[in-house]
Amino acid sequence: MKLCMIGTGYVGLVSGACFADLGNDVVCVDKDFNKINRLKNGVIPIYEPGLEELVKKNYNNKRLKFSTDLNKSVAKSNIIFICVGTPTKKNSNFADLSQIYKVTKEIRGSINKFKIIITKSTVPVTTGDQIEKIISKKKPKKLFSVVSNPEFLREGEAIRDFIYPDRIVIGTNNSRSNKILKNLYSPLISKGAKYINTSRRASELIKYASNSFLATKITFINEIANLCEKIGVDIEDISIGIGLDKRIGGRFLRAGPAYGGSCFPKDTKAIVTTGDKFKTNLSLIKSVIKSNQKRTSLMLDKVNEILKGRIKNKNISFLGVTFKANTDDMRDSSSLLMIPSLAKKGAKVNYYDPTGEKKIFKKIKNVTYCENINTAIRFSDLVIIHTEWNDFKSINFNSVIKKKNFIVYDLRNIYSHSKMKKDKINYFGVGR
Ligand code: UDX
C-alpha cells in the first residue's frame, strides 16, 4: 500500500521504516528541509538501535522515500499517518495540538480520492472528532475516514515493539477502513499480534490509559521502595514476590529514579485534563504525577544523607544522564534536576553517557563531560549510576577509583548488594 507518514520523529520515522520493510511504499514527510536532506544522505536524527540499517535498506530499495512536499505526498498515498508532536503546553497540563490541526488543514487540501487519515501521534480523546470536523468543512465525508491507531513503541526498543506488538488498536466504525488496515497489519497479525477494532474515542483513550497505568505501576513500586529502605528489606524481593502473580506481572516493577521520557509525564498530565473536561476526577493519576515529581528531590535528599551533608567540593560522577538506557533522549530525565542542584551546592560533577555530551549541561559551572567511564569516576567521592546501560554493569570500581572510601549510589539496582559488600564498597541502591 501507499503510505504517507507526516512527521519524522520517533514515531513517524520508525513506523515508516518498518512499514516499508513490510513491503509498502512509504513516503516520510517533514517540514524541516535539513532533516529530510540528512535522511536522504543516511543521517538518522534520532538514536534508535537498528533504525539506521532499516532506513538505509528501504531507502536503497526505493520503498522508503523522504519529502518536504506534503501535498504531493498525500495526493499519491491512500493512508496518511499523522505522527507530529503533541507536547505538553508550557505551564499547563494540556497537550499542544497546534501541529496536529496545522497538518490536518494541509492534508485536507490534498484529498483527491478516498483517503484514510490516521492519528498515530498520542492525541487526547475526541481529537479525531475535531480532525473530522476540520476536513468535512471542505471535503465530502465519503472522500475520507479519520482513524485512531496509537503506537506503543518504547524508545530504545521501538523497532522490536513495532514488529512484535502485544496488540494493534484500530479506532474506527468505518468497516472499509477497518478492512484496509487489517490488511495493512496482516504480516504482524500472522506473527501473533492481536488486532482489536474499537470506536475512535476508545482507541484514543486506550493509549492514555496504557501509559498512565504503566506510570502508576512504576510509581507504586518506587513508593514501596521508599518503605523498603525504612524496613530494611530489598525491593527486588518484593518486585519478584508480587510480580509472579499473573494478575500483576513482573514487568515495569523495577524501582528507580523518577520516571521520565517524552510520554509518561506528558500523557499522565493530558489524561487528567481529559478527566476535568468530562467532569471526572482522576485522583489516582493526579497523585502519581505528584509522587513522581517529588521523587527527584527524594533522590537528592538521599545523596545529601549519603554524603553526611557535605556536598561542597565533593567529586560526584553520573554514569548516564538520559531518561533511561538505550536512548539519547533527555526529556524529563531526573539528571536535569539532580546535576544542576548538586553543582549549585558546590559539588564538582563529572558525567559520562554512551550517547555523548549534552548541550544542556555545557553552560553549568563545575559540570564536566568525560569521554569514558574511567575518566568520569577515577577521582570520585560518589558515583551515581543513573541509567541501566550494559556498559555500566561490570565496572571494577576498586581498581578504577583512586579515592579512598568512595561510595556508589545505584539508582537502577544493577549491582548485587551482597557482591558490593563482599568487595567492601560503600553501596547504596534504591529500596534496599
Ligand atoms: C513509554 C511506553 O512504554 C510506550 O509503550 C509508549 O509508546 C511511550 O512511552 P518510553 O517512554 O520510551 O515508552 O519508555 P519506558 O521504557 O516505558 O520507560 C519510561 C520511564 O519509566 C523511564 O524513565 C524508565 O526508566 C522508567 N521505568 C520503566 C522504571 O523506572 N521502571 C521500570 O520498570 C520501567
Side-chain angles (χ1 to χ4, degrees), residues 151-157 161 167 207 211 214 218 221-222 251-264 267 323-325 388 412:
E151 48 79 23
F152 300 99
L153 309 178
R154 289 167 296 157
E155 290 182 33
E157 324 270 344
D161 287 348
R167 76 295 201 194
K207 171 67 185 176
N211 273 3
L214 291 170
I218 291 164
I221 205 65
N222 283 341
R251 296 179 64 188
F252 277 64
L253 273 182
R254 294 190 320 275
Y259 62 73
S262 59
C263 300
F264 286 178
D267 295 350
F323 82 92
K324 65 169 186 172
E388 65 287 20
R412 301 292 180 163

Side-chain angles (χ1 to χ4, degrees), residues 31-68:
K31 60 182 186 316
D32 181 337
F33 276 85
N34 295 332
K35 198 176 197 184
I36 291 296
N37 285 336
R38 283 202 302 273
L39 282 165
K40 286 179 177 172
N41 293 310
V43 177
I44 309 300
I46 54 174
Y47 180 98
E48 187 60 48
L51 184 59
E52 185 172 340
E53 304 85 275
L54 199 67
V55 166
K56 282 185 178 160
K57 170 188 163 195
N58 288 285
Y59 184 68
N60 295 336
N61 67 25
K62 307 219 178 320
R63 276 206 296 260
L64 180 63
K65 294 186 177 65
F66 297 106
S67 168
T68 52

